[in-house]
Structures are given as structure tokens and as C-alpha cells.
């Protein structure tokens, strides 16, 4: 017999989902005629709001316990239909990085199990739609197709959830010491203590305290791994107020075309690259979006003074020069699948010498391949004038131009229609779209002087 392996047990509300599933499930049951639309359990609306903010409480669990007798005499088939109806709105509540994290466990050969207090008949369709291998949930007893008002087995909560997971593990020859458990609730502490790899995720205040004492890492699935958060705010939110023209009085900004960027869903913002100051110019766009962005750029951008830390605060993804690693592209694709904004500089690096003055922009195919892999729209951005603020030959931007600051134009264009079949051709189309956003002077051949060429080269 093979040695037992582990599994991954995942809680539902405020863990896999960013909020309570109850309102969605209730609406589905009303639509299927299982519940009367005008009837609600006393105080449930207030409890849900409290739950979404602070996590499980004794009253919210009392509400869950009361559900079984409340369902007495109601049709089991109608409830199962309600579970299927609820799949689509529940999928919309799935944490953006949840499936990416679970897929990593699946790649390790571990089974994925939904372990929740919620009724099995209501959540099994969601688990199936998301590719879970099994479900551990509260079961309602039924006779002749209607619920009896009693449970079939124990109430899957607290010690009851620990017992149900333990029984499931024994039945499936799963080793709990090799298993993982994800939950937001301090009431799942028995389960967290039973597995070898506990994961407090979006933890409620009480579980945070326990995790700190036990030195368990606090995790989140609403942002990429490694991006910190303080009371729900990423560094992006803290830095965003500083990305405004008043913070850079030595430059004048002309930003246009913001309406071309989708308000929701994945999008690639692809820009040309002229200066380290491009980070600030694109940061003006990111700040106006009002949603966190991820920034994919060469290591030299993150090594630059001042803008390097700013780039990292925007969720920067480092591309190491000369490395064949696929990790940056994997992380960027994961961000897009999570519905995020990814900023890419297709040129990869600031052109040097004569190439800097070439009216024809050349780019790498990574952006086109990202679009082909994820289906995300690609929105072009044309930058001009950033090199006048911070030429590549300088270690720092020029800040002595307060009386006559150079103009920096940031032009956002319509999404580029890419064929998604030929990455080389799509890249040429994208770079052409970026060129079209630049001022006329960018398309006029220019014979650079030695001084011009020197400004395009890194300082010694």
C-alpha cells in the first residue's frame, strides 16, 4: 500500500469567497420557490454585515444552526436547484488569487476539498464548478424528498468540522500531518491544529492573535503573494495620493485617454520606454485607475533610486536581464487571470544611442503572448518627454526646472485588436499603436549629436 498523502481543506465564506455566501444562496432559494421572498430570519442582515467585516460570531453560527429546523418540510430537489443557480454569482465572489494558490497545491499532487459549515446541497455545485475533488459540509436529513428539520450527521463547525475532516481523511487514507487547511475563522482552530500546514487566511482578529503567538504566517487571496496589506490597504493605496502632478513640480503632465482603460477585469497597459521617469508618468495613470496594478519591468528600473521603491509599491514583477526564467510571465499571467491590471514595457529596456531616436518602435513578443494566453485586452500608452526630466545619463531626475518644467505627455489609446495567433505580427501592431499616440516630432527622422547620444547612455 502506498504511503498516505495529504490534502488541502478550504473553508468557504471569507476564505475561498471574499464575503458570506448566505445572501446569494438565499436569493437562489427564493428564485427556486424553496423560500418565501418576504421571509427572513430575525437579524440576519445585520449579522451578515458584521460577519463580512469581523468574521464568524456565536450569533452567526446560531443562525446557521437554526437553518436546519427552518428548512423542515422544504423540497430537497429545489434546494439543489438553488445551489446550481447560485454557482455563477458565487464564482464572482471567489477571491482573485484563490484558484491560483489551489492550482499550485494540485500541481503537488494534493487533493482539494471544500470544508464548510454550509449545507451540502447548496455548495456542492459550486465545488464541482471550481474543480474541487470533494466536499465536507453540513448535511440536512430528508424523507420522501423533503427535509426533516434534522441533520444527517454532525454540524460541521468547530470541533464538528475537525471531526468531519478527520473521518474523511481516515476514509480516504489521507495523512493530516501532510495536509493543509485554509480558514479565516478562530472557530476553525481545532482543524488548523490538526493539520501539518495551517494557513490563517483573511484571518479574523482573534485568529490573527493566535497566529502571531504561534508564528503562523497570515495570508490573503485578494492580492499576489508577497504584497503586504495593512487593514486592507496595499502599498499602492498608500502611495497613490503622492502620484499627482503637484508632487513633481519639476515636470508638467498632460494625461489623456483614461476612458479607454476598462474599469473592471484584466487589462494589459503597454507603454514605450524612454526614461526611468516613465514609472512616475505611468504611475499617474495607475493612480487615476483607483485599482492596484502590477508592474513588469527590467531589474534596472527597480534598482533606480527613488522610482525603484515606487515601482515595487505598484506590485512590481522583476524581469532579470539575460535570464530565461518563465517566472515573470507566469506571475503576470496569474495577475491577469485574477482580473488585475498589468503594466508592461514591450521594449524591455530604454533604447541606447541611435536606437533611442529611431521613429520605429521595436518590442519583444511577451505582451502579445500574455494577451494570447489570458485573453486580456491590451491598451497602448504613448509616453513623451520623460527623458527631459530624467535622461538615462543622469543618476537622478532634474529637479531644478521649477520655473520652466518640461512637458510630459501620457496618451492612452483604444485597446489594440490583436490577432492572437502570430506574436511577432501582433507585437508590430501594438508598437505601431503606441507610435500613433506619440507627437508628430517622434516620427521625424533625427540625426543625434554626440551630446544627444551621451544622454541616452547610463552614467558611469
Amino acid at each position: 500500500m502506498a504511503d498516505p498523502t495529504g490534502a488541502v481543506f478550504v473553508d468557504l465564506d471569507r476564505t475561498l469567497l471574499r464575503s458570506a455566501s448566505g445572501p446569494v444562496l438565499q436569493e437562489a432559494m427564493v428564485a427556486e420557490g424553496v423560500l418565501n421572498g418576504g421571509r427572513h430570519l430575525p437579524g440576519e442582515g445585520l449579522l451578515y454585515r458584521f460577519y463580512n467585516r469581523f468574521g464568524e460570531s456565536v450569533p452567526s453560527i446560531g443562525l446557521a444552526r437554526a437553518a436546519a429546523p427552518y428548512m423542515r418540510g422544504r423540497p430537497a430537489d429545489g434546494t439543489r436547484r438553488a445551489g446550481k443557480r447560485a454557482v455563477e454569482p458565487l464564482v464572482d465572489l471567489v477571491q482573485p488569487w484563490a484558484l491560483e494558490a489551489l492550482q499550485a497545491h494540485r500541481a503537488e499532487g494534493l487533493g482539494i476539498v471544500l470544508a464548510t459549515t454550509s449545507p451540502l446541497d447548496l455548495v456542492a455545485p459550486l465545488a464541482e464548478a471550481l474543480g474541487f475533488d470533494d466536499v465536507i459540509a453540513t448535511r440536512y436529513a430528508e424523507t420522501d424528498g423533503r427535509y426533516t428539520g434534522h441533520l444527517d450527521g454532525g454540524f460541521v463547525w468547530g470541533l464538528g468540522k475537525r471531526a468531519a475532516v478527520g473521518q474523511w481523511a481516515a476514509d480516504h487514507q489521507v495523512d493530516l500531518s501532510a495536509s493543509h487547511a485554509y480558514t479565516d475563522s478562530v472557530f476553525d482552530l481545532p482543524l488548523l491544529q490538526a493539520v501539518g500546514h495551517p494557513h490563517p487566511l483573511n484571518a479574523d482578529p482573534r485568529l490573527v492573535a493566535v497566529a502571531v503567538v504561534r508564528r503562523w504566517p497570515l495570508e490573503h487571496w485578494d492580492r499576489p503573494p508577497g504584497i503586504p496589506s495593512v487593514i486592507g490597504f496595499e502599498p499602492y493605496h498608500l502611495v497613490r495620493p503622492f502620484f499627482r502632478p503637484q508632487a513633481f513640480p519639476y515636470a508638467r503632465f498632460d494625461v489623456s485617454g483614461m476612458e479607454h482603460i476598462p474599469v473592471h477585469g484584466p487589462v494589459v497597459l503597454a507603454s514605450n520606454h524612454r526614461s526611468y521617469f516613465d514609472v512616475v508618468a505611468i504611475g499617474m495613470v495607475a493612480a487615476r485607475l483607483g485599482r492596484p496594478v502590477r508592474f513588469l519591468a527590467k531589474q534596472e528600473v527597480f534598482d533606480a533610486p527613488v522610482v525603484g521603491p515606487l515601482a515595487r509599491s505598484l506590485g512590481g514583477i522583476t524581469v532579470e536581464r539575460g535570464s530565461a526564467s518563465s517566472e515573470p510571465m507566469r506571475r503576470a499571467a496569474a495577475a491577469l487571470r485574477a482580473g488585475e491590471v498589468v503594466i508592461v514595457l514591450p521594449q524591455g529596456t530604454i533604447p541606447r544611442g541611435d536606437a533611442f531616436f529611431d521613429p520605429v518602435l521595436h518590442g519583444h513578443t511577451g505582451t502579445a503572448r500574455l494577451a494570447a494566453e489570458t485573453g486580456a485586452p491590451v491598451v497602448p500608452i504613448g509616453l513623451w518627454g520623460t527623458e527631459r526630466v530624467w535622461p538615462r545619463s543622469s543618476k537622478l531626475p532634474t529637479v531644478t526646472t521649477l520655473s520652466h518644467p518640461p512637458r510630459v505627455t501620457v496618451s492612452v489609446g483604444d485597446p489594440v485588436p490583436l490577432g492572437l495567433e502570430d506574436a511577432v505580427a501582433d507585437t508590430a501592431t501594438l508598437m505601431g499603436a503606441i507610435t500613433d499616440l506619440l507627437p508628430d516630432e517622434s516620427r521625424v527622422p533625427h540625426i543625434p549629436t554626440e551630446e544627444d547620444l551621451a544622454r541616452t547612455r547610463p552614467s558611469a
Side-chain angles (χ1 to χ4, degrees):
M1 180 183 301
D3 292 336
T5 187
V8 180
F9 303 99
V10 185
D11 181 43
L12 181 64
D13 295 353
R14 291 188 81 251
T15 304
L16 178 67
L17 307 182
R18 62 176 178 266
S19 60
S21 60
V24 173
L25 296 174
Q26 180 170 300
E27 182 177 340
M29 286 191 286
V30 169
E32 291 295 335
V34 178
L35 297 180
N36 185 306
R39 297 180 62 186
H40 298 274
L41 294 175
E44 64 176 319
L46 178 61
L47 285 176
Y48 280 135
R49 288 193 294 273
F50 183 90
Y51 178 88
N52 289 339
R53 183 72 180 270
F54 299 106
E56 268 181 349
S57 63
V58 173
S60 68
I61 292 304
L63 182 67
R65 284 186 180 275
Y70 184 75
M71 293 293 288
R72 180 178 180 179
R74 300 183 190 276
D77 283 347
T79 303
R80 296 183 185 110
R81 289 196 304 272
K84 294 179 180 179
R85 176 184 285 268
V87 167
E88 185 174 346
L90 287 178
V91 167
D92 289 340
L93 294 179
V94 172
Q95 299 263 32
W97 288 84
L99 300 185
E100 177 78 12
L102 296 180
Q103 183 58 37
H105 284 304
R106 189 176 297 283
E108 298 171 345
L110 301 179
I112 312 296
V113 181
L114 185 65
T116 175
T117 307
S118 301
L120 177 68
D121 288 343
L122 287 173
V123 299
L126 173 67
E128 181 180 359
L130 295 178
F132 278 77
D133 298 299
D134 210 341
V135 183
I136 299 170
T138 301
R139 297 172 180 264
Y140 291 167
E142 62 178 275
T143 299
D144 297 329
R146 293 188 176 271
Y147 294 121
T148 66
H150 301 285
L151 298 180
D152 179 6
F155 184 57
V156 183
W157 176 76
L159 290 172
K161 182 182 285 191
R162 163 65 181 88
V165 168
Q167 185 61 57
W168 186 94
D171 292 343
H172 293 80
Q173 293 187 309
V174 164
D175 183 2
L176 288 183
S177 68
S179 295
H180 300 253
Y182 289 89
T183 181
D184 71 293
S185 176
V186 72
F187 295 108
D188 281 336
L189 191 56
L191 175 59
L192 292 174
Q193 292 172 320
V195 299
H197 306 281
H199 299 269
L201 191 141
N202 192 31
D204 66 35
R206 295 151 297 178
L207 184 56
V208 167
V210 173
V212 170
V213 171
R214 292 179 174 269
R215 297 184 179 180
W216 291 341
L218 295 168
E219 302 178 38
H220 298 270
W221 281 344
D222 63 344
R223 56 188 178 276
I227 300 294
S229 175
V230 178
I231 59 172
F233 292 96
E234 293 186 23
Y236 162 84
H237 297 98
L238 304 178
V239 172
R240 181 187 175 199
F242 299 99
F243 274 92
R244 58 181 60 191
Q246 295 87 338
F248 304 91
Y250 47 88
R252 283 198 302 165
F253 295 89
D254 183 1
V255 181
S256 62
M258 288 295 299
E259 68 276 8
H260 299 306
I261 302 176
V263 178
H264 304 289
V267 59
V268 179
L269 302 182
S271 168
N272 61 319
H273 197 7
R274 299 185 63 80
S275 163
Y276 298 130
F277 201 67
D278 294 347
V279 174
V280 175
I282 298 174
M284 295 292 174
V285 174
R288 298 186 187 194
L289 284 178
R291 50 190 294 211
V293 300
R294 311 305 166 199
F295 193 100
L296 199 152
K298 290 286 189 179
Q299 181 67 47
E300 62 184 12
V301 172
F302 300 100
D303 290 340
V306 183
V307 300
L310 292 178
R312 293 188 187 282
S313 74
L314 294 176
I317 301 172
T318 303
V319 179
E320 296 184 9
R321 185 188 302 276
S323 172
S325 172
S326 62
E327 181 62 14
M329 289 289 287
R330 187 199 68 78
R331 291 177 60 191
L336 291 170
R337 284 192 291 269
E340 297 196 321
V341 179
V342 174
I343 298 173
V344 180
L345 306 177
Q347 291 171 284
T349 188
I350 304 170
R352 302 187 188 190
D354 290 324
F356 186 86
F357 302 95
D358 189 343
V360 179
L361 299 181
H362 303 276
H364 300 289
T365 60
T367 306
R369 289 185 283 116
L370 271 179
E373 180 180 347
T374 64
V378 180
V379 174
I381 298 177
L383 300 182
W384 195 257
T386 53
E387 74 284 356
R388 295 168 186 155
V389 181
W390 193 344
R392 192 171 189 178
S393 59
S394 177
K395 292 184 178 180
L396 291 171
T398 303
V399 298
T400 58
T401 55
L402 299 181
S403 61
H404 53 284
R407 179 184 295 275
V408 172
T409 60
V410 185
S411 303
V412 183
D414 288 311
V416 181
L418 302 181
L420 304 183
E421 294 180 358
D422 186 335
V424 174
D426 283 347
T427 300
T429 299
L430 171 60
M431 302 312 292
I434 294 175
T435 300
D436 290 343
L437 295 171
L438 302 179
D440 292 340
E441 63 180 291
S442 70
R443 289 179 284 279
V444 177
H446 173 70
I447 299 176
T449 64
E450 285 300 321
E451 182 180 355
D452 291 336
L453 293 173
R455 289 168 63 84
T456 71
R457 302 187 180 101
S459 59

